[in-house]
Amino acid sequence: AVCGKHLCGVATDHALVAASRLAETEAPKSAVGVGVGRLSGVAIATCCHHACSYDEFVGVGYLREKIFPPTHMNSVARECGLFECLKRVSSWAVDGSSGQHGGAPQPPTPPILPAKRVAEDEAEAEAECNVRVTAPSTIADVLREVSRELAPARRLELGTMIKWVLDEARRRWCEATLGNGAHANVVKYVSSEVSPENRLLLVKY
């Protein structure tokens, strides 16, 4: 089995890929139990979806089919930009601005990044996508403006929704990839008052 608690961002995707390799590996004849290959199940508490990577996110196929708006101009650069939006909005679920996870409510307006930091972010986004992304700082600017217009509770709702969407994409990948008989679910394992990072990805056979 593959188990992990709060595997940050892309680390969850790395663990799922490792699980798929176990499922493809023939189990020893002495092995007794359920599962596929050397994999008997998966239990991963996901977190920090803002730290996911487009290049390594296992559920991009689901996002492409169900979430990204259809267009005749599909490209890696476009999808990478949309994925960056999802990542940034997911952070609204845990940024504390709603005041529901401890502490007083904070203004939902992030600080304006200095030019040097923006340039560094642009270089990092380009390297991550392996393509040139046009003005990735624009994404941050647009979302910053949007966040100013949203009530803290709405920011929390949208951020939480995106976290569930990203984990649903992973769940579907698991059922399609981890062998016949793989049943995957995303469940809450603690209340939001204990931790806003309270989703558990389970795969059973």
Side-chain angles (χ1 to χ4, degrees), residues 121-189:
D121 284 353
E122 290 178 354
E124 181 179 346
E126 180 178 342
E128 177 182 334
C129 298
N130 294 324
V131 294
R132 177 168 295 280
V133 180
T134 303
S137 60
T138 303
I139 296 173
D141 293 339
V142 170
L143 291 178
R144 187 179 296 117
E145 289 300 320
V146 170
S147 70
R148 289 193 180 106
E149 303 300 322
L150 295 176
R154 181 58 173 162
R155 282 169 50 88
L156 174 63
E157 179 184 11
L158 290 173
T160 301
M161 182 187 305
I162 295 303
K163 283 180 171 288
W164 281 102
V165 165
L166 295 176
D167 283 341
E168 172 64 12
R170 287 165 164 163
R171 184 195 73 78
R172 294 189 180 223
W173 180 91
C174 287
E175 289 199 336
T177 307
L178 299 185
N180 292 332
H183 299 285
N185 285 292
V186 179
V187 299
K188 291 176 67 173
Y189 67 95

